Amino acid sequence: LVTPYLKVGSLASINLARQGHEVHLYEFREDIRTAELVQGRSINLALSRRGQTALAAIGLEDEIVANSILMKGRMTHDLQGNTKEILYDPLNGQGLWSVGRKYLNEKLLNLAEKYPNIHMHFEKKLISTKLDDGTMTFKDLKNNSDIKEEADLIVGCDGAYSQVRAQMIKRPGFSFSQQYIRHGYLELCIPAKDGEFQMPPNYLHIWPRHSFMMIALPNKDKSFTVTLSMPFETLIKFKQKTIY
């Protein structure tokens, strides 16, 4: 498997290994469990029933849920500061779970490491793939050498700029289109105050503002991870005016 998004690759690896397959997991970045500074997205994940089912299949649901915060609905904030509660499931009380991305990735990696038929390779960048014969070439970022690999099945979990997809679209009859939205995002934080949340914690907070919006998800340390999404031209002006 090729992946810069470990939660996808790790989960797929575990499921394949449980079926008896020999799995090699290649990751572009360093091992997040030992990295001093983790690059990439740290925005919380909203874990749904579908995600819980996937985690239950590998025995991690209870542990992950115990370290997450239930969001029973959305809470919208208008321009006047008024709030409105919108429950996801008023009858049964089900909702989404706010879980830290790094925490979830680490738990999946720890479990994958316990399988003798899962082999993890970090800091390996996919350079080329020949899908017809299952061969791949990786660049070892530590020593700048090339690594040749062969597989019976190649699973590309490598995101928007997928190198695996880049090879697939060269095949005859393969249709593909990609269009980028005009929005970017900025990650912010609402810290705890006096050891407590500054807003009701059991909600996905949303500030809808037509062409842009902001959301906030609760963390176990009583803070909120905040994501501001807006058109790039507005976002650039916002960042230029913001003092960090």
Side-chain angles (χ1 to χ4, degrees), residues 144-164:
N144 202 36
S145 62
D146 289 347
I147 300 172
K148 303 291 184 179
E149 183 67 274
E150 295 183 3
D152 297 315
L153 173 67
I154 299 172
V155 181
C157 309
D158 47 347
Y161 303 101
S162 170
Q163 286 294 327
V164 176

Side-chain angles (χ1 to χ4, degrees), residues 13-199:
S13 295
I14 293 168
N15 281 308
L16 288 169
R18 285 160 57 93
Q19 298 177 38
H21 298 290
E22 199 76 14
V23 181
H24 287 263
L25 177 63
Y26 279 86
E27 164 62 33
F28 173 71
R29 295 174 295 188
E30 62 184 314
D31 190 337
I32 62 171
R33 297 170 297 176
T34 57
E36 292 185 9
L37 178 64
V38 178
Q39 301 293 329
R41 297 180 180 87
S42 59
I43 300 168
N44 294 38
L45 295 168
L47 185 67
S48 67
R49 182 66 254 173
R50 182 176 60 179
Q52 288 178 249
T53 301
L55 292 173
I58 60 172
L60 277 183
E61 180 189 13
D62 291 342
E63 183 178 2
I64 298 299
V65 167
N67 287 276
S68 305
I69 297 177
L70 177 65
M71 299 182 294
K72 58 185 179 181
R74 300 185 181 99
M75 182 169 285
T76 60
H77 300 248
D78 66 18
L79 288 169
Q80 288 71 42
N82 302 311
T83 60
K84 180 180 179 181
E85 177 190 65
I86 306 172
L87 296 178
Y88 291 124
D89 185 3
L91 295 179
N92 302 305
Q94 295 189 43
L96 303 176
W97 294 88
S98 175
V99 56
R101 188 182 297 261
K102 183 174 184 292
Y103 167 78
L104 177 59
N105 280 332
E106 288 178 344
K107 290 297 180 182
L108 287 168
L109 281 173
N110 289 339
L111 179 58
E113 203 169 46
K114 295 179 180 179
Y115 286 84
N117 51 334
I118 295 180
H119 312 276
M120 294 186 285
H121 310 271
F122 295 97
E123 297 183 75
K124 305 293 187 293
K125 182 180 180 180
L126 180 64
I127 302 300
S128 63
T129 309
K130 293 183 178 179
L131 299 176
D132 289 328
D133 57 11
T135 60
M136 294 165 286
T137 301
F138 294 89
K139 177 71 70 176
D140 189 323
L141 302 181
K142 292 182 179 180
N143 55 33
N144 202 36
S145 62
D146 289 347
I147 300 172
K148 303 291 184 179
E149 183 67 274
E150 295 183 3
D152 297 315
L153 173 67
I154 299 172
V155 181
C157 309
D158 47 347
Y161 303 101
S162 170
Q163 286 294 327
V164 176
R165 186 191 299 117
Q167 299 300 318
M168 294 175 66
I169 62 177
K170 297 177 182 179
R171 299 170 70 87
F174 190 98
S175 298
F176 171 74
S177 64
Q178 186 169 2
Q179 183 176 357
Y180 293 97
I181 63 173
R182 52 190 287 265
H183 286 64
Y185 74 92
L186 180 66
E187 185 176 320
L188 305 168
C189 177
I190 299 176
K193 185 176 182 180
D194 299 326
E196 293 298 332
F197 288 104
Q198 295 199 57
M199 300 184 297

